[in-house]
């Protein structure tokens, strides 16, 4: 009985952390898909941050597509238009390996703003053929 209680006591924190991380991942993807993100089966969310807030939650996702063509389809299907060279973006909270490197070829797109929010994306066509997309999903 004591051993079972100790196992439950010391096993609960890792279980709670795993459940919390899993819920944050699902929430981040949910915010983005509710704002129009269309992930293909071959797309992989390799990093995520979820910022919960009543009525204006946001998420930051890094999505690796199988190819540059797959990433272009992801951006097109998600309604990311009005693309232009990126000026500056705030990726300060993301670890260095999950933010785009400064580059003269870095591109930026935004979806049409709706009453629910918008998507923003950046990618570098010169790096990995543009297969990695850095996405912000912002609810308003």
């Amino acid at each position: 009985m004591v051993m079972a209680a100790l196992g439950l006591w010391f096993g609960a924190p890792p279980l709670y952390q795993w459940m919390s991380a899993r819920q944050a991942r699902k929430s981040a993807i949910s915010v983005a898909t509710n704002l129009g993100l269309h992930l293909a089966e071959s797309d992989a969310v390799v990093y995520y941050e979820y910022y919960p807030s009543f009525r204006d939650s946001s998420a930051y996702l890094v999505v690796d597509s199988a190819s540059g063509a797959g990433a272009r389809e992801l951006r097109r299907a998600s309604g990311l238009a009005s693309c232009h060279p990126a000026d500056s973006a705030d990726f300060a909270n993301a670890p260095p390996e999950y933010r785009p490197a400064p580059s003269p070829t870095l591109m930026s797109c935004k979806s049409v703003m709706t009453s629910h929010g918008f998507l923003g994306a950046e990618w570098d066509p010169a790096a990995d053929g543009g297969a990695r997309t850095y996405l912000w999903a912002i609810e308003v």
Side-chain angles (χ1 to χ4, degrees):
M1 179 93 156
V2 172
M3 293 302 286
L6 286 173
L8 183 60
W9 177 258
F10 290 108
L15 178 62
Y16 173 76
Q17 291 169 347
W18 176 80
M19 297 274 296
S20 295
R22 183 174 174 191
Q23 185 60 38
R25 182 180 194 282
K26 287 173 65 176
S27 295
I29 293 171
S30 177
V31 166
T33 54
N34 288 342
L35 294 174
L37 178 65
H38 291 280
L39 292 170
E41 288 292 322
S42 60
D43 293 329
V45 176
V46 296
Y47 181 79
Y48 62 89
E49 285 290 330
Y50 175 61
Y51 305 98
S53 179
F54 178 68
R55 299 203 51 177
D56 58 353
S57 296
S58 63
Y60 174 65
L61 303 168
V62 179
V63 179
D64 280 349
S65 298
S67 66
R72 283 190 296 278
E73 178 58 25
L74 171 130
R75 293 187 292 270
R76 187 203 61 73
S78 300
L80 293 159
S82 64
C83 300
H84 53 83
D87 42 13
S88 66
D90 180 18
F91 294 98
N93 292 336
E97 64 270 22
Y98 293 114
R99 58 178 114 150
S103 168
T105 57
L106 193 64
M107 297 296 292
S108 179
C109 287
K110 286 198 168 110
S111 67
V112 174
M113 176 84 157
T114 68
S115 62
H116 301 291
F118 67 95
L119 291 173
E122 296 207 1
W123 77 97
D124 189 348
D128 299 325
R132 177 168 277 190
T133 305
Y134 306 87
L135 290 153
W136 280 107
I138 301 172
E139 294 179 328
V140 293

